[in-house]
């Protein structure tokens, strides 16, 4: 039983759930700045629950599909995958993925009652892309479109969608914040693709690292982090949100991450960079949200 629980926790990839958490956190901060104590907290809680379910379903589909396509094998240098390692059967992973899709639909029902057709459309596309990220006739991750997908769905759409559920409209601040959160989430994907470029090339998984080389992805990571910090100036100029600049205390951490990515020669060490990127993402989102609220 203990081994089974461990296997499922491994399959869920809890470290990646930061990508689902930070957009909801930031959007809620933007709403709280306007509504104060009248904010409807249940909206953010249901949105967070749905986001977690979609993220976990995506991870499970990815685990089973990548193994089937040969992207995950015994030469893999990244974290252990449960299907490839034999901890769980592919059929089990698929059934659990569908269960989380069902949970997302259940939570989404209440969000649709609040937000109407735009949330129906966004929810259905998000659920489809949980599978379409690595599966289907046009898998985004295999076409080099995974980075764009993450910017949109774990950044722009997630922040703007949560904001819309509260305010029934979208403003410029939610769009800019959505881009920032999307860039930080994409940093995780870029590091992952950089680490796996050798194995991905063998199975024709045409990530940006495979298409254009590792060096371009290193500069992509630098640009994603640098632009995220530069966009803080929008909140200073447009909304006079001086406290948002508190995020600049994390610049040394961001610089450390970029320096590590550029200097690493043994790609197995990039697993540490993933942890560092997740930490940077969460800390940035928390400080950013506090800066908005203050």
């Amino acid at each position: 039983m203990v081994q089974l629980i461990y296997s499922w926790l491994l399959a869920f990839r809890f470290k990646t759930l930061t990508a689902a958490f930070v957009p909801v956190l930031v959007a809620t901060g933007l709403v709280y700045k306007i509504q104060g104590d009248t904010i409807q907290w249940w909206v953010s809680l249901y949105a967070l629950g749905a986001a977690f379910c979609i993220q976990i379903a995506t991870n499970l589909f990815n685990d089973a599909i990548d193994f089937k396509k040969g992207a995950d094998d015994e030469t893999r240098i990244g974290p252990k995958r449960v299907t490839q390692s034999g901890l769980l059967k592919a059929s089990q992973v698929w059934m659990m993925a569908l269960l989380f899709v069902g949970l997302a639909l259940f939570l989404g029902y209440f969000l649709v009652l609040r937000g109407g057709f735009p949330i129906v459309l966004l929810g259905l596309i998000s659920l489809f892309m949980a599978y379409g990220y690595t599966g289907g006739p046009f898998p985004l991750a295999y076409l080099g479109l995974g980075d764009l997908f993450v910017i949109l769905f774990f950044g722009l759409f997630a922040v703007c969608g949560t904001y819309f559920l509260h305010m029934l409209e979208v403003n410029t601040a939610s769009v800019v914040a959505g881009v920032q959160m999307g860039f930080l989430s994409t940093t995780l994907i870029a590091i992952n693709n950089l680490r796996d470029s050798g194995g991905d090339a063998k199975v024709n998984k045409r990530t940006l690292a495979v298409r254009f080389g590792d060096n371009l992805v290193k500069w992509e990571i630098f640009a994603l982090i640098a632009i995220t910090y530069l966009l803080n100036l929008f909140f200073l100029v447009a909304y006079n949100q001086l406290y948002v600049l508190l995020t600049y205390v994390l610049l040394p951490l961001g610089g450390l991450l970029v320096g590590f990515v550029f200097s690493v020669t043994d790609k197995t060490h990039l697993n540490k960079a993933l942890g560092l990127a997740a930490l940077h993402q969460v800390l940035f989102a928390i400080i950013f949200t506090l800066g908005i609220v203050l």
Side-chain angles (χ1 to χ4, degrees):
M1 178 60 74
V2 173
Q3 179 62 41
L4 182 62
I5 294 174
Y6 166 77
S7 298
W8 281 119
L9 293 178
L10 189 65
F12 293 165
R13 306 183 199 175
F14 278 98
K15 290 182 180 180
T16 69
L17 297 187
T18 58
F21 169 70
V22 297
V24 177
L25 173 66
V26 168
T28 303
L30 292 171
V31 173
Y32 187 83
K33 180 68 176 179
I34 299 171
Q35 294 188 340
D37 292 336
T38 63
I39 187 173
Q40 299 185 63
W41 291 107
W42 74 268
V43 173
S44 290
L45 290 174
Y46 276 57
L48 182 61
F52 279 159
C53 289
I54 294 172
Q55 176 69 64
I56 292 173
T58 302
N59 292 340
L60 293 169
F61 283 131
N62 175 262
D63 196 299
I65 294 171
D66 271 356
F67 171 66
K68 181 179 180 180
K69 293 184 176 182
D72 291 341
D73 57 24
E74 66 279 356
T75 65
R76 176 180 172 79
I77 61 176
K80 183 184 294 186
R81 295 293 182 246
V82 295
T83 312
Q84 181 272 322
S85 62
L87 292 174
L88 294 169
K89 296 179 181 179
S91 59
Q92 292 177 299
V93 176
W94 270 90
M95 289 303 297
M96 185 63 76
L98 292 175
L99 173 61
F100 274 97
V101 168
L103 289 173
L105 284 171
F106 172 75
L107 294 171
Y109 169 77
F110 299 98
L111 297 176
V112 166
L113 294 178
R114 169 68 181 173
F117 179 74
I119 301 304
V120 173
L121 184 62
L122 179 58
L124 290 177
I125 294 174
S126 298
L127 287 171
F128 174 76
M129 294 315 301
Y131 168 73
Y133 181 71
T134 47
F138 304 104
L140 298 184
Y142 284 77
L143 298 173
L145 298 174
D147 302 68
L148 178 61
F149 163 81
V150 172
I151 291 172
L152 292 176
F153 284 87
F154 290 95
L156 189 62
F157 294 166
V159 173
C160 291
T162 304
Y163 186 89
F164 178 83
L165 280 166
H166 282 279
M167 306 297 297
L168 301 181
E169 64 179 10
V170 173
N171 65 359
T172 306
S174 63
V175 172
V176 174
V179 172
Q180 288 178 287
M181 296 307 110
F183 279 10
L184 291 180
S185 290
T186 305
T187 300
L188 297 170
I189 298 298
I191 293 172
N192 188 75
N193 291 339
L194 179 64
R195 182 198 63 210
D196 295 339
S197 60
D200 289 342
K202 294 178 182 178
V203 296
N204 202 33
K205 189 175 182 179
R206 308 289 289 172
T207 63
L208 293 183
V210 173
R211 287 179 179 272
F212 303 108
D214 290 353
N215 198 50
L216 180 137
V217 176
K218 292 178 181 180
W219 283 105
E220 176 196 5
I221 293 167
F222 166 78
L224 289 169
I225 292 176
I227 295 173
T228 296
Y229 280 97
L230 286 174
L231 286 175
N232 277 345
L233 299 178
F234 164 81
F235 293 94
L236 176 63
V237 174
Y239 294 96
N240 197 32
Q241 293 289 324
L242 180 63
Y243 289 114
V244 169
L245 301 185
L246 289 172
T247 55
Y248 287 162
V249 302
L250 296 175
L251 274 173
L253 180 60
L256 176 65
L257 173 60
V258 171
F260 185 85
V261 167
F262 270 88
S263 64
V264 70
T265 55
D266 182 351
K267 287 192 173 183
T268 60
H269 293 160
L270 287 172
N271 291 323
K272 297 179 181 178
L274 277 172
L276 192 62
L279 175 64
H280 175 260
Q281 178 189 34
V282 171
L283 291 177
F284 185 98
I286 291 173
I287 296 175
F288 178 90
T289 303
L290 288 174
I292 289 292
V293 171
L294 288 175

